[in-house]
Amino acid sequence: MKKIINKIIAVLKQKWPFLLLFGAAIFVRFYQLGKIPLSLYIDELAILVDAKSLANTGYDMHGKPFFQAMFLSYGDYKLPVYVWLAALGVKLFGVNEFALRLPSALAGVGTIFVMILLAKELFSDTKKTPSIVSACRDNILKICSIIVVGFSPWSLLFSRTGFEGHVGQFFLSLAVLLLFLSKKNKWLILVSPFVAALSVYTYFSVRFVWPIIYLAWGILFLFTTGKKFKSAFKNNNFNKKKFAFFVISGLIFIALLQPMHRNEYYSDSNKFRLSTRSVLNLKDWPVEANKLREITDNTIVDRIFYHRHLLLMKALAENYTKNLSLNFLFLTGDSNLRHGTQEHGLFLWPLIIPFLLGLISLAKNNFKVFSFLIIWWLIALLPASAPMEVPHALRSLNALAPIALLIIFGLKKTYLLSTKNIKLKFTACLYFLILGIAAFSFLEFYFIQYPIKSALAWQDKHKEFAITLLNLQDTTEYIYVHPFSSEPHLAFLAYDKSLQNFSSLEFIDGNVNKIDQKIEFKILNKHEWQNIFPFHKNFIIAGNYYWYLNHWPKDATYLKNTKFIYNSLGDKEFVILIYEKP
Amino acid sequence: MLNKRKIYLLAVILILIIGALLRLSFLEKFPPSLYWEEAALGYDAYSISQTGRDHHGNSWPIAAFKSFGDWKPSAYFYALAPFIKLFGLKAWVVRLPAALAGILIIFFSLNIARILFNKKIALLTAILVSISPWAILFSRAAWEVNLAVALLYGGIYFGLKFFQVLVSHSQSDQALTDSVNRKTRIQQKILSLYIFHLLFLILAMYAYHGTRITAPLIGLWFFIKLIKEKVFFKKIKLFAPILLLTACLALPIFLSLSRPGFKIRFAQTNIFSDLSLVEQSNAARNLHHNSPYSRLFYHRYLYFAKAISINFIKHFNFDFLFISGDNNPRHSIQLMGQLYHIELIFFLMGIFYLGTQLKKIKLNKITFLAFCLFAAILPASMTKTTPHALRILPAMPIFIMLIALGINYAWQLWQKFCAQAQQKFLKKRAILYSFWLLLIIIYFAEFAFFIRTYTKIYSHQYSQSWQYGYQQMIAQINNLKKRYPNYPIYITKEQGRPAMYYWFFSQTDPKKVQAQAKIVKKDQGEFLEFDNIKFINSVGEINNTPAIVAASKETLIDYLKNYSTDKIKFSIDINNLADQTVWKIIVIE
């Protein structure tokens, strides 16, 4: 027994397990990319449409030049970086799901890299002279990083879908890495604001996160030395050069945000964001506060106790703590099927032990790194806490790096603890076996069960519906489509091969009503029949099955053919009615 | 001069007085009225104390009372009966045993913390328990669980004390050659402590459903420790009979578990009857064509284990513990959590402290605390509504002990910080002790917020959750009954369990109820008629007039459309504390 365990440990000290795991982590990000999840969601489609337009013409779908700080898209104001990257993908691989999701998958691989390097910067023992022992420890740290990040459901799910948040989080952690690398080359401090700005131009909420992280880094690492908080200002080693670099870098970041602030869509986009349901507009807080104060005697004490700001803070805190729940992190995950499997947490469940161990031991061993990671985590959750959909895996993605780093430290600690005696070694082997099984069962679930389970959440068959209608348009005079989603035109714009240039389209509030002069989106009901029927000799009516069942006359006169499109559960999802007069 | 021992004793007495004041004052007013379980406990205890039978006519039930057919554990009834005999059937009397149990909880958690840690932590724990919203809320209504927690912690206390005496004795007796007389005295003391330990645990099993799992688990822990200390087999002649006898005492509970009524209640609350988990497991297996792999990995037991873990972890959610509390308005005052906001920090610090002290403090103590926490939360994790502040009340003193440890740790850090500081002003004693001043100010503000909200807002907004209005309604009905003795009375069941409230507030002779128990119509255990009173589901069931009717305002107004206004002789509305009409009473000619 002892021999076997020692052999396992000896193997871990070599290079190839690391490479093997890394290869596997890359493989699971690229295997069937674009096919799993089954189809593109509205936001992804919108990016694909803009990317297609940029790749073909250099202008977005509204005819604006590609170098702009904000894209109108379908009226939700998208930030440019992901669109540019997707356009690059489209240029290389054509208009398809793979091209769209490629930037995110690459960011996923990049995140693993960044995590390995960050873990090395933050956790490796610099005091000891480089020896075989520390080299092997670094190897363990690398392996831990890959296990935690590479196979975490959180990272994997978002690596395989085209959400800007994931790429934004990659740039953010890259910028943080640059800050730490600047210890050796201080010019990197000046590079980091560029990467951070890139991150802001990818995902909006980084704007609030970066400044706090930057300040925390400055206070904890740049201006203090050693593990304890000995201020550099006091001990005469205050470095004017350091300070100048710090300020300049901050100014660069602020300057880089100006194009966004000056953009014509900027104020509209803020209004759009604030209009979503959040704690801010959940209740009429002054009225709520007055109600409570009326019940009490409205003394000064009551006016403080039941102040509207305090009530709002309580609602915010409630949302905030939901993102901190261990269940959310390790067992249940986001309930939205696009953001989680509903069966797995953000990280593999056995990692809950290293997570707790990492929290305690890091706070004990290196309080500075601990507080930096905690600040990063907590500030990353703030933008995710105001809206009412909490906990939210996508909006809290910026917290992926700090939580992962805490777990990595804990996992390394678990391994180091286990080397003490044979009993512990055995337990550790058992633990890593369970971890392996958990990872395997997650991957199995993700690639086999999840696609079917989540098909409807990903609006599966919208593509098929659009393509079927586009193919039918030569056979008929006119096509009416009942709007089957909030943005029905996107699927048509994306998959219409004859439509490479959107300049001919007429946009109303970011939406299109007519494509190719033949396909029209129109809310159809029984009365509309009178307005359609007399004007065409043959035409097609199409929409979702629910609409057909409830709002469309089943008059069979002139109905030549009815086509159904079935969803992955085998139910009728769409209906295409082909009418022809003799 | 006061020595340290006297100061400690004085502090303990002071804390107990504060705790008692917060638990015993205005018992009938806060919460504003009797919840139906309280009415049922009160009336059955009354019935037992008067006649020796419960209101169904069962003589001296042992394990459980039938009550509404939900088989309530018996301990609270018997704890209550003497007080009812003494003070009569009143709302505050019904709540008295829970309030006294609340004081006992302070006392036992103080002593447990003293054995596990030291006097300072013990005092901190005690004062925090005595002012904790969680402890106060459950001490001020007739919650069986509060009694169970007091008994459970009594059991833990005697168990710990037993080991303390055992260890100190076995260490000292090698050095000292005690007289035989003294030896037997110590042996007697040790044995009696063990007997008390077992007795309290078994009584706890009689007090609440959840502790039927928690108490045996804790007893098992002590038993295993007893074997590990190599005492058990040495003195097997002494311990074996004690264990056997106490096991016999627990027997009625195990016998009662097979009762069908109990099984139904169990099935209603636990997750194992949740078919959706089984369906999930089956669906996943079907997708894999029922391969051996899928049968292992998608086994229903794994789904159950996962559901239990999720429920377990939910009880540590910060918003449940520190921000908004249990959703059920009877279990929390809604505007704050089960514990004070500031305690979140100390809770985390306490856990961190224990985590870092693993080598210094004996591992045994930390694992014991962790085990108690586990055993206290496990039963609640197997039920459907989680997080549940009532079902995990046995964990409350441990949470507070962790908070006390956290405060102590923060104090140590502050001391260290002040000692190492180079600035002169930080060296002053006043600065050092300002830590406690600040802490007291924060706690005072939090406590003031709690008391203000509890007495003013909570009782106003949530009187409905406590079935406010029954007492006033029954008083009116009894008045009308005197005026119209021959009229039948109809009371709807819209607010739940009207029969019990009627007996309670009319102080009906239990013999009369017992006499009718076999004749009248019942729904499970609930009476649907009594004398000339009918307890109906809705006003539609009224079949003969003239009559006295009590129902909710909306349904009654709807019903009265059939009658001309001159037929209604008398009408009165009864409002709850938020000025919503809960009852309307009318007399129809």
Side-chain angles (χ1 to χ4, degrees):
Chain A
M1 195 58 175
K2 202 172 173 180
K3 268 183 190 170
I4 298 169
I5 289 169
N6 284 336
K7 231 174 209 174
I8 293 172
I9 290 165
V11 165
L12 278 177
K13 285 171 186 168
Q14 290 168 7
K15 271 263 150 61
W16 65 266
F18 159 71
L19 291 173
L20 191 76
L21 280 170
F22 198 31
I26 294 173
F27 176 74
V28 293
R29 274 164 179 71
F30 284 92
Y31 171 69
Q32 299 251 318
L33 181 67
K35 297 206 172 66
I36 294 172
L38 290 173
S39 56
L40 298 184
Y41 185 62
I42 289 184
D43 288 299
E44 293 180 291
L45 267 179
I47 294 173
L48 185 62
V49 171
D50 265 333
K52 178 182 168 187
S53 182
L54 286 187
N56 286 331
T57 64
Y59 294 90
D60 77 349
M61 63 167 132
H62 300 284
K64 293 264 162 67
F66 86 97
F67 197 73
Q68 53 177 341
M70 230 175 248
F71 283 72
L72 179 58
S73 193
Y74 62 87
D76 69 332
Y77 308 101
K78 288 207 183 324
L79 289 162
V81 175
Y82 200 99
V83 182
W84 292 337
L85 293 173
L88 215 63
V90 167
K91 198 106 195 169
L92 291 172
F93 299 100
V95 185
N96 56 39
E97 293 82 3
F98 176 82
L100 175 84
R101 287 173 173 170
L102 185 64
S104 195
L106 289 173
V109 176
T111 306
I112 301 176
F113 258 121
V114 170
M115 283 301 143
I116 291 171
L117 293 174
L118 256 181
K120 201 180 153 196
E121 283 302 315
L122 292 175
F123 305 138
S124 62
D125 311 309
T126 44
K127 277 181 201 163
K128 281 168 195 156
T129 46
S131 66
I132 306 164
V133 181
S134 69
C136 130
R137 278 190 181 173
D138 277 355
N139 208 2
I140 296 299
L141 202 57
K142 277 181 200 162
I143 290 175
C144 291
S145 310
I146 294 174
I147 292 174
V148 173
V149 184
F151 299 97
S152 101
W154 204 8
S155 172
L156 183 66
L157 248 77
F158 284 101
S159 291
R160 300 181 56 92
T161 54
F163 287 116
E164 301 111 311
H166 185 245
V167 179
Q169 122 356 86
F170 161 67
F171 284 132
L172 178 69
S173 38
L174 183 63
V176 174
L177 176 67
L178 288 177
L179 288 182
F180 280 98
L181 291 178
S182 71
K183 208 159 48 173
K184 283 160 204 153
N185 182 356
K186 52 183 169 305
W187 291 99
L188 286 175
I189 299 186
L190 297 181
V191 181
S192 71
F194 288 95
V195 181
L198 203 59
S199 175
V200 177
Y201 281 101
T202 316
Y203 196 58
F204 203 74
S205 66
V206 181
R207 194 169 65 140
F208 306 105
V209 179
W210 171 256
I212 304 290
I213 296 179
Y214 184 61
L215 266 181
W217 171 78
I219 292 165
L220 289 170
F221 296 98
L222 189 66
F223 297 130
T224 57
T225 43
K227 275 190 179 180
K228 283 187 180 158
F229 296 96
K230 272 184 193 154
S231 174
F233 289 99
K234 212 173 293 151
N235 298 350
N236 293 333
N237 56 0
F238 173 61
N239 196 329
K240 274 182 191 160
K241 210 171 168 188
K242 261 188 194 174
F243 190 70
F245 268 97
F246 187 71
V247 172
I248 291 171
S249 166
L251 289 175
I252 292 175
F253 178 72
I254 294 168
L256 285 173
L257 290 195
Q258 288 317 305
M260 186 168 79
H261 290 266
R262 300 239 171 110
N263 192 280
E264 52 178 322
Y265 298 133
Y266 180 70
S267 60
D268 289 336
S269 75
N270 275 344
K271 266 183 220 156
F272 175 76
R273 253 171 271 278
L274 285 174
S275 67
T276 51
R277 222 165 69 83
S278 74
V279 279
L280 304 173
N281 52 24
L282 173 70
K283 279 180 187 164
D284 194 346
W285 294 111
V287 172
E288 195 75 8
N290 281 341
K291 236 194 272 169
L292 294 178
R293 278 157 50 173
E294 233 168 73
I295 297 171
T296 55
D297 308 330
N298 205 9
T299 60
I300 297 174
V301 176
D302 297 322
R303 263 178 272 168
I304 297 170
F305 277 172
Y306 311 112
H307 195 273
R308 61 202 153 96
H309 290 327
L310 284 181
L311 296 178
L312 176 67
M313 287 270 285
K314 179 187 171 256
L316 196 65
E318 232 170 275
N319 274 0
Y320 196 89
T321 48
K322 286 203 175 102
N323 280 315
L324 288 171
S325 142
L326 287 179
N327 272 333
F328 171 59
L329 289 178
F330 295 99
L331 286 170
T332 53
D334 198 324
S335 58
N336 184 334
L337 264 177
R338 285 187 303 278
H339 305 156
T341 64
Q342 291 182 346
E343 300 268 329
H344 302 88
L346 303 183
F347 292 98
L348 296 172
W349 66 266
L351 292 177
I352 194 168
I353 299 166
F355 170 71
L356 297 174
L357 191 74
L359 270 180
I360 289 176
S361 58
L362 188 61
K364 198 177 157 195
N365 291 350
N366 197 340
F367 192 71
K368 245 163 75 171
V369 172
F370 172 78
S371 27
F372 179 72
L373 292 179
I374 295 289
I375 290 170
W376 185 352
W377 182 5
L378 295 185
I379 193 67
L381 292 185
L382 202 57
S385 302
M388 287 317 287
E389 304 94 18
V390 281
H392 200 289
L394 173 60
R395 294 202 186 105
S396 58
L397 256 176
N398 288 327
L400 188 148
I403 305 174
L405 285 169
L406 285 171
I407 301 175
I408 290 167
F409 186 79
L411 198 61
K412 183 194 160 198
K413 193 89 190 165
T414 318
Y415 172 78
L416 291 183
L417 277 178
S418 71
T419 50
K420 279 184 184 160
N421 65 41
I422 187 76
K423 239 190 204 171
L424 283 171
K425 271 182 193 173
F426 180 71
T427 336
C429 276
L430 200 68
Y431 172 76
F432 280 98
L433 186 70
I434 291 172
L435 189 59
I437 292 172
F440 176 75
S441 93
F442 159 67
L443 291 173
E444 184 272 340
F445 186 91
Y446 181 79
F447 285 104
I448 295 174
Q449 304 217 15
Y450 174 73
I452 300 159
K453 191 180 172 189
S454 67
L456 291 183
W458 285 102
Q459 308 191 322
D460 190 24
K461 302 299 172 191
H462 285 207
K463 178 185 179 183
E464 196 182 330
F465 179 62
I467 288 177
T468 315
L469 283 177
L470 287 167
N471 290 339
L472 280 172
Q473 64 180 335
D474 293 333
T475 66
T476 186
E477 218 174 87
Y478 211 79
I479 297 175
Y480 289 98
V481 182
H482 178 79
F484 50 88
S485 73
S486 55
E487 317 296 334
H489 62 283
L490 290 173
F492 289 85
L493 294 186
Y495 295 116
D496 191 346
K497 279 188 182 139
S498 62
L499 192 69
Q500 297 293 347
N501 189 338
F502 300 128
S503 57
S504 62
L505 297 173
E506 199 184 320
F507 284 90
I508 304 158
D509 292 335
N511 286 328
V512 179
N513 283 333
K514 227 171 180 184
I515 298 169
D516 294 351
Q517 303 301 324
K518 245 189 182 181
I519 301 174
E520 186 174 339
F521 301 101
K522 195 171 189 180
I523 294 172
L524 299 168
N525 53 39
K526 283 163 190 169
H527 309 295
E528 283 297 318
W529 177 249
Q530 313 300 332
N531 302 334
I532 296 167
F533 182 68
F535 298 104
H536 308 284
K537 199 170 173 237
N538 46 37
F539 57 96
I540 291 174
I541 304 276
N544 54 353
Y545 186 68
Y546 175 81
W547 155 83
Y548 168 71
L549 216 55
N550 296 306
H551 300 291
W552 193 244
K554 312 283 178 299
D555 187 2
T557 354
Y558 307 123
L559 183 64
K560 194 186 143 203
N561 201 355
T562 310
K563 279 187 179 179
F564 292 108
I565 290 172
Y566 294 85
N567 65 24
S568 55
L569 300 174
D571 299 326
K572 287 166 186 160
E573 183 76 21
F574 291 109
V575 59
I576 298 170
L577 306 163
I578 302 168
Y579 291 91
E580 215 172 84
K581 288 185 201 168
Chain B
M1 266 306 279
L2 287 168
N3 59 15
K4 272 192 172 174
R5 200 183 138 76
K6 273 185 185 158
I7 292 175
Y8 175 74
L9 277 177
L10 261 175
V12 170
I13 290 167
L14 196 70
I15 289 168
L16 287 177
I17 289 172
I18 293 172
L21 275 176
L22 287 171
R23 281 154 181 77
L24 294 171
S25 49
F26 304 110
L27 260 185
E28 77 289 347
K29 208 172 155 198
F30 306 113
S33 50
L34 284 184
Y35 177 56
W36 63 51
E37 309 271 350
E38 297 183 279
L41 288 170
Y43 191 73
D44 259 338
Y46 180 61
S47 178
I48 279 283
S49 70
Q50 299 287 327
T51 64
R53 291 166 186 276
D54 74 351
H55 77 277
H56 291 282
N58 303 321
S59 167
W60 300 106
I62 297 172
F65 280 58
K66 193 178 176 191
S67 193
F68 301 124
D70 55 350
W71 298 101
K72 292 187 174 63
S74 61
Y76 201 96
F77 293 92
Y78 289 116
L80 180 54
F83 293 111
I84 297 253
K85 192 98 188 170
L86 265 175
F87 303 111
L89 185 56
K90 288 176 193 132
W92 68 269
V93 182
V94 176
R95 288 169 174 169
L96 193 59
L100 294 176
I103 299 167
L104 273 182
I105 292 174
I106 304 175
F107 179 74
F108 285 134
S109 20
L110 175 111
N111 282 308
I112 290 169
R114 194 181 151 185
I115 294 174
L116 288 178
F117 303 103
N118 54 40
K119 279 185 179 174
K120 201 158 95 198
I121 306 252
L123 286 177
L124 265 175
T125 308
I127 184 74
L128 292 182
V129 172
S130 74
I131 62 164
S132 157
W134 201 352
I136 292 174
L137 281 183
F138 283 97
S139 297
R140 296 192 59 97
W143 295 111
E144 298 153 323
V145 68
N146 213 46
L147 180 65
V149 172
L151 294 169
L152 185 72
Y153 277 75
I156 294 175
Y157 164 66
F158 285 117
L160 288 173
K161 188 88 195 161
F162 161 72
F163 274 107
Q164 203 186 27
V165 175
L166 191 74
V167 170
S168 66
H169 174 64
S170 63
Q171 277 166 0
S172 63
D173 71 350
Q174 286 152 359
L176 295 164
T177 45
D178 286 345
S179 63
V180 182
N181 204 352
R182 190 177 138 80
K183 260 186 183 170
T184 49
R185 238 187 311 137
I186 287 170
Q187 204 169 46
Q188 271 171 2
K189 191 183 172 191
I190 289 174
L191 273 182
S192 58
L193 278 172
Y194 195 64
I195 291 170
F196 268 118
H197 157 72
L198 289 175
L199 268 181
F200 267 84
L201 287 185
I202 281 168
L203 280 178
M205 289 172 74
Y206 277 97
Y208 181 64
H209 291 298
T211 35
R212 289 179 181 175
I213 300 174
T214 311
L217 280 176
I218 284 172
L220 193 68
W221 172 279
F222 280 103
F223 181 65
I224 289 172
K225 211 180 157 196
L226 194 62
I227 291 177
K228 270 194 172 172
E229 297 269 332
K230 290 169 187 157
V231 188
F232 181 72
F233 288 111
K234 237 192 251 173
K235 304 263 169 77
I236 194 157
K237 273 183 195 164
L238 286 169
F239 282 107
I242 293 173
L243 275 170
L244 275 177
L245 274 175
T246 45
C248 287
L249 285 178
L251 210 58
I253 289 179
F254 293 108
L255 292 177
S256 78
L257 292 185
S258 58
R259 217 177 259 151
F262 179 79
K263 273 184 186 163
I264 290 166
R265 191 189 137 76
F266 184 66
Q268 277 167 355
T269 48
N270 82 48
I271 55 164
F272 300 108
S273 56
D274 188 357
L275 284 180
S276 70
L277 289 174
V278 179
E279 278 162 12
Q280 269 183 41
S281 147
N282 287 346
R285 279 165 56 168
N286 280 340
L287 203 70
H288 283 263
H289 309 293
N290 221 358
S291 66
Y293 164 81
S294 71
R295 262 182 279 169
L296 186 65
F297 275 81
Y298 299 103
H299 198 279
R300 67 180 66 174
Y301 289 163
L302 286 180
Y303 280 80
F304 285 136
K306 193 178 162 192
I308 290 174
S309 328
I310 289 173
N311 283 339
F312 189 87
I313 290 175
K314 266 189 201 163
H315 290 107
F316 292 89
N317 278 358
F318 295 154
D319 60 333
F320 164 68
L321 287 175
F322 304 101
I323 295 166
S324 50
D326 196 324
N327 285 329
N328 186 331
R330 280 189 303 278
H331 301 165
S332 109
I333 61 169
Q334 304 298 313
L335 271 175
M336 61 186 289
Q338 304 302 132
L339 299 162
Y340 292 118
H341 305 91
I342 183 77
E343 291 179 338
L344 167 61
I345 299 166
F346 296 128
F347 176 66
L348 294 175
M349 286 182 91
I351 291 177
F352 175 69
Y353 173 72
L354 284 186
T356 54
Q357 301 292 308
L358 274 175
K359 281 167 206 160
K360 285 179 201 160
I361 303 179
K362 268 189 189 167
L363 190 65
N364 243 329
K365 290 178 180 174
I366 296 173
T367 43
F368 177 69
L369 272 187
F371 179 79
C372 283
L373 205 57
F374 169 77
I377 299 179
L378 183 69
S381 309
M382 295 193 280
T383 61
K384 280 171 195 162
T385 32
T386 49
H388 202 289
L390 184 148
R391 295 198 184 118
I392 66 155
L393 194 70
M396 179 268 291
I398 299 172
F399 276 117
I400 291 180
M401 230 173 271
L402 288 173
I403 290 163
L405 282 171
I407 291 179
N408 190 46
Y409 181 54
W411 165 239
Q412 282 173 8
L413 287 181
W414 177 245
Q415 273 177 312
K416 216 167 130 190
F417 176 74
C418 284
Q420 287 175 354
Q422 280 145 18
Q423 288 86 351
K424 264 189 184 161
F425 75 96
L426 281 176
K427 295 267 181 199
K428 286 181 184 163
R429 278 179 84 86
I431 296 287
L432 185 66
Y433 286 102
S434 66
F435 173 86
W436 294 108
L437 186 71
L438 190 70
L439 196 72
I440 289 169
I441 290 172
I442 293 172
Y443 261 100
F444 185 77
E446 295 249 25
F447 178 70
F449 177 78
F450 164 63
I451 288 295
R452 192 80 183 158
T453 312
Y454 184 56
T455 53
K456 288 275 178 183
I457 292 177
Y458 175 69
S459 56
H460 178 95
Q461 281 190 324
Y462 296 102
S463 63
Q464 185 68 31
S465 300
W466 292 93
Q467 267 74 41
Y468 189 87
Y470 261 116
Q471 185 170 7
Q472 293 78 353
M473 185 271 280
I474 304 280
Q476 286 291 344
I477 290 277
N478 282 335
N479 277 341
L480 291 171
K481 205 174 155 190
K482 275 176 209 152
R483 258 204 277 172
Y484 311 98
N486 296 325
Y487 284 20
I489 300 168
Y490 292 95
I491 301 175
T492 62
K493 297 202 289 178
E494 285 159 285
Q495 302 288 331
R497 324 285 192 199
M500 195 57 83
Y501 282 103
Y502 177 78
W503 300 323
F504 189 99
F505 290 119
S506 319
Q507 313 255 331
T508 312
D509 185 0
K511 278 183 189 145
K512 257 169 96 181
V513 182
Q514 287 159 8
Q516 294 196 19
K518 277 166 197 147
I519 318 160
V520 297
K521 267 194 277 179
K522 284 188 203 172
D523 176 16
Q524 292 188 335
E526 189 187 352
F527 281 50
L528 297 181
E529 54 189 357
F530 178 73
D531 282 349
N532 61 345
I533 308 173
K534 296 257 184 326
F535 303 104
I536 53 181
N537 284 319
S538 69
V539 282
E541 289 173 33
I542 299 171
N543 46 23
N544 54 345
T545 48
I548 302 167
V549 182
S552 71
K553 197 177 180 184
E554 298 78 37
T555 59
L556 207 52
I557 286 173
D558 210 35
Y559 176 72
L560 289 176
K561 279 175 190 162
N562 307 333
Y563 293 90
S564 58
T565 41
D566 54 313
K567 275 203 164 179
I568 297 157
K569 276 183 106 178
F570 177 89
S571 165
I572 190 169
D573 288 355
I574 287 166
N575 293 355
N576 67 14
L577 294 176
D579 276 337
Q580 296 152 326
T581 307
V582 276
W583 288 105
K584 193 175 175 66
I585 304 167
I586 54 162
V587 180
I588 309 174
E589 277 292 298

